[in-house]
Amino acid sequence: MDFDIDPGLPVPIYRQIVEQVRRQVAGGVWRTGDELPSVRALAQQHAINPMTVSKAYGLLEAEGLLQRRRGMGMAVADVRPARRPAQRLALLDPALQAAAQQAAQLGLGATAALQAFKQCLRQQGLMEEDDDA
Amino acid sequence: MDFDIDPGLPVPIYRQIVEQVRRQVAGGVWRTGDELPSVRALAQQHAINPMTVSKAYGLLEAEGLLQRRRGMGMAVADVRPARRPAQRLALLDPALQAAAQQAAQLGLGATAALQAFKQCLRQQGLMEEDDDA
Amino acid sequence: MDFDIDPGLPVPIYRQIVEQVRRQVAGGVWRTGDELPSVRALAQQHAINPMTVSKAYGLLEAEGLLQRRRGMGMAVADVRPARRPAQRLALLDPALQAAAQQAAQLGLGATAALQAFKQCLRQQGLMEEDDDA
Amino acid sequence: MDFDIDPGLPVPIYRQIVEQVRRQVAGGVWRTGDELPSVRALAQQHAINPMTVSKAYGLLEAEGLLQRRRGMGMAVADVRPARRPAQRLALLDPALQAAAQQAAQLGLGATAALQAFKQCLRQQGLMEEDDDA
DNA sequence: GTGGTCTAGACCACT
DNA sequence: GTGGTCTAGACCACG
């Protein structure tokens, strides 16, 4: 239940939290009933303001991904499995679209773009080093 | 000389313009002397504020990518495109890194991510429809 | 475009704002493109903190009811008409359910409850004074 | 001696208990000497915290509606129910007022609101299914 | 001018 | 202990 927060990024802190939860839940890494770190704990751990964490949690609750259990913290809500399989790729799509558009504008070919992407996937541990799929 | 502008994206409009020009020039798609649409034309075409276009053009001029020619609008300045693919790939890298990281967090495999990326590249006209490279 | 805000109520201010917008939009009183008062204006008018207003607007934007127009304030979003006809009654249901349950617990009959409700509707100007429908 | 508790509602659980007891007693549905479920039983039955039940019972005792009988649990105290319907209707009024106001804001007519309310009353068993009073 | 974000700190309510 | 709400004030980004 770790968060990767970097106040230096251009993307707001509360949004970093929101997006990480979204992906971890969509990816099935976090499951229904899992408890999240408390607002205060997460805030202290990353030296950020509790209200910033609270804002993120509030948005995720409104979104239906988290469930508030009064006096007992937040937990991953009962996400319908229908949400998962198809929508994981949908969550990835914007990033891929942006990358493809940029490749076109840079006058790069598909082969070069794919090679570079494979390299990134390897860095993420999603491909073997010598795999050239 | 088309721009792809979406006021709905989180990235500011002026920045969408700046980055597209940067890439088209770096990629050699636009070349020295090519004329850009006038501030008014671009603003009207995309229903955005002329000041927004003007701000983008101003930044690009300060950057040396564009040249203001009195009474004749803006044109691509005398800059050489990044000749070597490596330089252009470097500009593409951030987008690919982000996509790969998100794929990992979503619990997706390299194969699925690559398939989806190929689909995006096809939509950009960088791959043949039936190519599965 | 008036808001009826009472800091004395048990329901949080930001939620009073959210619910009023929801109903006015669902009821068709406010329509697509209508501009809302600015965060600062609404805050000053009711002597509340701008952040409180901002929180409400933010939730309504996430909900899709409002649209942010950068640098130009918020406006009623392009609400699909499908949203209106059936869902208006759905928005009223919780209040009616609660009232019916309380009537039952108070040992009141349907006739008495209906009479009292009609009286309330008259006070809201929804029925003629001498109407007994 | 049933309670209708929903942790999902915005109204706190302890308050849901308090208000239901108040109404059942005022309506004469529960009478002097009637025994309430034990703190533990009620807590287990609805999967809520015993302290929450205890808090509600304590408030009701302080209010004089319940009586603690050593070793024998809580029972309805020696209170006369609100005999006149007018008194009971007064307790129902806030809920009806809220519903009528919301109907107005939703742009609904009296007829539609009344029909929906009748349906709710039927679900509570206060009207015959085919009654259209 | 617009809204967004974050901070610091206070107070409340629920369990 | 938990989260929720509000305030006051600062700074940023956008148009």
Side-chain angles (χ1 to χ4, degrees):
Chain A
M1 223 63 183
D2 279 348
F3 283 86
D4 187 8
I5 293 174
D6 180 355
L9 291 180
V11 39
I13 297 172
Y14 84 95
R15 190 167 281 275
Q16 294 183 35
I17 299 174
V18 166
E19 289 173 1
Q20 282 180 52
V21 172
R22 274 199 200 127
R23 291 196 203 101
Q24 306 274 12
V25 170
V29 183
W30 294 349
R31 309 202 169 179
T32 302
D34 285 359
E35 289 188 7
L36 280 90
S38 82
V39 168
R40 288 162 169 89
L42 189 53
Q44 190 173 7
Q45 187 184 347
H46 292 89
I48 56 180
N49 191 300
M51 271 208 61
T52 304
V53 180
S54 184
K55 179 175 184 176
Y57 280 11
L59 286 172
L60 288 162
E61 192 211 353
E63 207 175 308
L65 256 75
L66 297 188
Q67 211 167 2
R68 188 181 2 186
R69 299 191 302 190
R70 283 188 284 205
M72 302 167 62
M74 310 283 291
V76 175
D78 186 11
V79 187
R80 285 150 299 178
R83 189 153 194 164
R84 297 235 196 89
Q87 279 184 308
R88 277 197 275 175
L89 275 170
L91 285 172
L92 181 60
D93 202 58
L96 293 179
Q97 291 284 1
Q101 188 194 4
Q102 291 178 22
Q105 292 176 343
L106 284 165
L108 290 166
T111 310
L114 280 168
Q115 284 300 340
F117 189 39
K118 281 177 192 165
Q119 183 57 31
C120 295
L121 290 170
R122 279 190 207 98
Q123 285 172 23
Q124 290 291 333
L126 296 181
M127 282 178 75
E128 298 299 325
E129 281 302 325
D130 54 353
D131 188 354
D132 198 46
Chain B
M1 222 62 180
D2 278 348
F3 283 87
D4 187 4
I5 293 174
D6 180 355
L9 290 180
V11 36
I13 297 170
Y14 85 94
R15 189 171 283 272
Q16 294 183 35
I17 299 175
V18 167
E19 289 174 0
Q20 283 182 48
V21 172
R22 274 196 201 132
R23 282 191 288 266
Q24 307 268 18
V25 171
V29 182
W30 293 351
R31 309 200 170 180
T32 301
D34 284 358
E35 288 190 8
L36 279 86
S38 78
V39 168
R40 284 182 193 166
L42 189 51
Q44 189 172 7
Q45 186 184 349
H46 292 90
I48 57 181
N49 194 313
M51 282 186 52
T52 308
V53 181
S54 184
K55 178 175 182 177
Y57 280 10
L59 286 171
L60 288 161
E61 189 194 6
E63 207 175 307
L65 280 177
L66 297 187
Q67 218 166 1
R68 208 176 287 267
R69 303 188 303 186
R70 284 189 302 183
M72 301 172 62
M74 308 283 293
V76 175
D78 184 16
V79 282
R80 280 160 304 180
R83 275 164 302 182
R84 285 179 306 169
Q87 290 172 290
R88 290 188 257 158
L89 277 171
L91 288 172
L92 181 59
D93 202 56
L96 293 178
Q97 291 284 1
Q101 188 192 356
Q102 291 180 21
Q105 291 182 342
L106 284 166
L108 290 168
T111 311
L114 282 168
Q115 283 298 343
F117 189 39
K118 283 176 191 165
Q119 182 58 31
C120 295
L121 290 169
R122 280 191 205 97
Q123 285 172 24
Q124 291 291 335
L126 296 182
M127 281 178 75
E128 299 298 325
E129 280 302 326
D130 54 353
D131 188 354
D132 197 46
Chain C
M1 223 66 182
D2 278 348
F3 282 87
D4 187 8
I5 293 175
D6 179 355
L9 291 180
V11 37
I13 297 172
Y14 84 94
R15 190 168 282 274
Q16 295 182 35
I17 298 174
V18 166
E19 289 173 1
Q20 282 182 50
V21 173
R22 276 198 200 127
R23 291 196 204 100
Q24 306 273 14
V25 171
V29 182
W30 294 349
R31 310 205 168 176
T32 301
D34 284 0
E35 288 189 9
L36 279 90
S38 81
V39 168
R40 289 165 170 87
L42 189 52
Q44 189 172 7
Q45 187 183 348
H46 292 89
I48 56 180
N49 192 300
M51 270 209 63
T52 305
V53 180
S54 184
K55 180 175 183 176
Y57 280 10
L59 288 173
L60 288 162
E61 192 211 354
E63 206 174 309
L65 274 152
L66 296 187
Q67 212 168 2
R68 188 181 2 187
R69 301 191 302 190
R70 283 187 283 207
M72 303 168 62
M74 310 283 292
V76 175
D78 186 10
V79 187
R80 285 149 299 178
R83 188 155 195 162
R84 299 237 194 86
Q87 279 183 307
R88 277 197 275 175
L89 275 170
L91 285 172
L92 182 60
D93 201 59
L96 293 178
Q97 291 283 2
Q101 187 194 4
Q102 292 180 21
Q105 291 176 345
L106 284 165
L108 290 166
T111 311
L114 281 167
Q115 284 300 340
F117 189 39
K118 282 176 192 166
Q119 182 58 31
C120 295
L121 290 169
R122 279 191 207 96
Q123 284 174 22
Q124 291 291 335
L126 297 181
M127 282 177 75
E128 300 298 325
E129 281 302 325
D130 54 354
D131 188 353
D132 198 44
Chain D
M1 223 60 182
D2 279 348
F3 284 87
D4 188 4
I5 293 174
D6 180 356
L9 290 180
V11 37
I13 296 170
Y14 86 95
R15 188 171 282 273
Q16 294 183 35
I17 299 174
V18 166
E19 289 175 358
Q20 283 182 49
V21 171
R22 275 195 200 134
R23 282 192 287 266
Q24 307 267 18
V25 171
V29 182
W30 294 350
R31 309 200 170 180
T32 302
D34 284 358
E35 288 189 8
L36 279 87
S38 76
V39 168
R40 284 183 195 166
L42 189 51
Q44 190 173 5
Q45 187 185 349
H46 292 89
I48 57 180
N49 194 314
M51 284 185 54
T52 306
V53 180
S54 184
K55 177 175 183 175
Y57 280 9
L59 285 172
L60 288 161
E61 191 195 6
E63 206 175 310
L65 280 176
L66 297 187
Q67 219 168 2
R68 207 175 288 269
R69 302 187 305 187
R70 283 190 303 181
M72 300 173 62
M74 308 283 292
V76 175
D78 184 16
V79 281
R80 281 160 305 181
R83 275 163 302 183
R84 287 180 305 169
Q87 290 172 289
R88 288 187 258 159
L89 277 170
L91 288 171
L92 181 60
D93 202 57
L96 293 179
Q97 291 285 1
Q101 188 192 357
Q102 291 179 21
Q105 290 182 342
L106 285 167
L108 290 167
T111 311
L114 282 167
Q115 283 298 343
F117 190 39
K118 282 177 191 165
Q119 182 58 31
C120 295
L121 291 169
R122 279 191 206 98
Q123 284 173 24
Q124 291 291 335
L126 296 181
M127 282 178 75
E128 298 298 324
E129 281 301 327
D130 55 353
D131 188 354
D132 198 45

